[in-house]
Amino acid sequence: MSRSQAKPSRILSSICVVLTISLFAASCSAKPESDNATRHPEQASLLPAAEQTTSYPLTLESPFGETVLPERPERIAAVAPTAIDTELLLALGVTPILTSSLVSEGGYLDDHGAAEIETYEFVSGEDLPIETIAASHPDLIVAVGWTDGLSGVNLGDYYDRFTSIAPVLTSPDTSSQQLIPWQDSIRLLGSTLDLEDAATQVIAHHQEHFAEIRKEHPEFAGLTTSWVLHFGAANSLRYMSPSGSGTELFLSELGFIPNPKANQFVGDPWVSSELLTQIDADVLLLGQTVNASDEEMHELVTENTLFMNLGAVTSRHLVRLAPKTEDDRDLLWTVTVGGPIGQEWAADYLVPLIADVLTKTS
């Protein structure tokens, strides 16, 4: 199948994403295999051949100051608390020398070389290990996918320390409580690494992939969706596709239309009992985290009378999503914080499930 994307829009719900990442990270038990105590042998090249469109030295501007990249970098440390920058680098054919331990959370990047990258252990609420980052000897530090406050960590608190190690590339806007679409991030990486054509090709490939999905599944057109996630008794139900969110954008790329009810969850995504009826849609996607037991899901959600009377439930347009897929991948993590690699895999996994419930009730 080929690849796609609907027109990128600014993602308005970074607060939801930040909390989601923190909750996901807290619920995961896997530990990284390495804290970069040892380094891989030098590789022939960590980057594809230059396209000769970027001129160096290059000034890298950020909300916190600017640094100068004297020449095309070779050793790139992707230090954001999530794996989005590493995913975009891998999509460009670039192998970073260091990344966050959260690179393994989605489970979909190992097949693309992530398992071979040295990691620093990210622990929510703790300081980033500056010494470990410095010991990797980067000639560029990338933090493009890092909105200030992501996973409870303020990029501004680290910028000066990063610049003492190497030039730093960030998003041009890190503090507006908006996450820039990955398409904008990969363009920025492409122009910095002299890989602009490669970035354009990744975006085009993504667009073609989703265009093919929409062509093969015209039954999605005109339908609304809601994606909700049960975090367990302590946190309950969370609306994961509020208006303007990355999840809503992903669903629109599949062919669905925005759900008017999603607007009320922009400021506060938690679904109280009074708002339970507002999660309704033509298709309802219901998932749970690894910390949420099946018993809690039944008691608090699926056996709730209000939930049982939702239109999506009575029409059997409910898609239940396990905490992990059969091959131990995290679907919602992938959709929420993933880029082109993860979202294309997520689409290929999710589309048959949605198509199945629609076919059975047509």
Side-chain angles (χ1 to χ4, degrees), residues 34 62 186 253:
S34 168
S62 84
I186 202 168
E253 290 181 311

Side-chain angles (χ1 to χ4, degrees), residues 68-109:
V68 176
L69 188 61
E71 58 187 4
R72 189 178 191 235
E74 180 75 9
R75 299 179 56 81
I76 299 169
V79 299
T82 69
I84 181 59
D85 288 345
T86 296
E87 178 174 348
L88 296 179
L89 289 168
L90 292 172
L92 290 172
V94 177
T95 302
I97 52 150
L98 183 70
T99 186
S100 159
S101 57
L102 293 184
V103 72
S104 64
E105 287 306 314
Y108 60 93
L109 287 178

Side-chain angles (χ1 to χ4, degrees), residues 3-12 179-184 187 203-204 206-208 210-211 214 244-256 258 343:
R3 301 176 150 136
S4 154
Q5 159 239 6
K7 182 178 179 181
S9 62
R10 296 294 295 178
I11 298 176
L12 304 178
L179 295 178
I180 74 171
W182 67 259
Q183 290 87 347
D184 292 347
R187 289 189 186 99
I203 295 170
H206 183 83
Q207 291 173 336
E208 292 168 7
F210 282 84
R214 294 192 296 271
S245 67
T247 306
E248 183 188 60
L249 175 60
F250 169 80
L251 293 170
S252 71
E253 290 181 311
L254 298 180
F256 295 97
Q343 290 187 0

Side-chain angles (χ1 to χ4, degrees), residues 3 11 13 26 38 42 63 68 70 73 93 98 104 113 131 163 173 187 206 216-217 222 232 261 309 360:
R3 301 176 150 136
I11 298 176
S13 60
T38 60
E42 294 296 331
V68 176
L98 183 70
S104 64
E131 296 81 5
T163 59
D173 184 2
R187 289 189 186 99
H206 183 83
E216 292 183 358
H217 294 279
K261 296 180 180 180
N309 288 329
K360 288 179 179 178

Side-chain angles (χ1 to χ4, degrees), residues 154-165:
N154 294 318
L155 177 55
D157 293 341
Y158 287 90
Y159 181 81
D160 288 342
R161 282 179 277 180
F162 288 157
T163 59
S164 69
I165 301 170

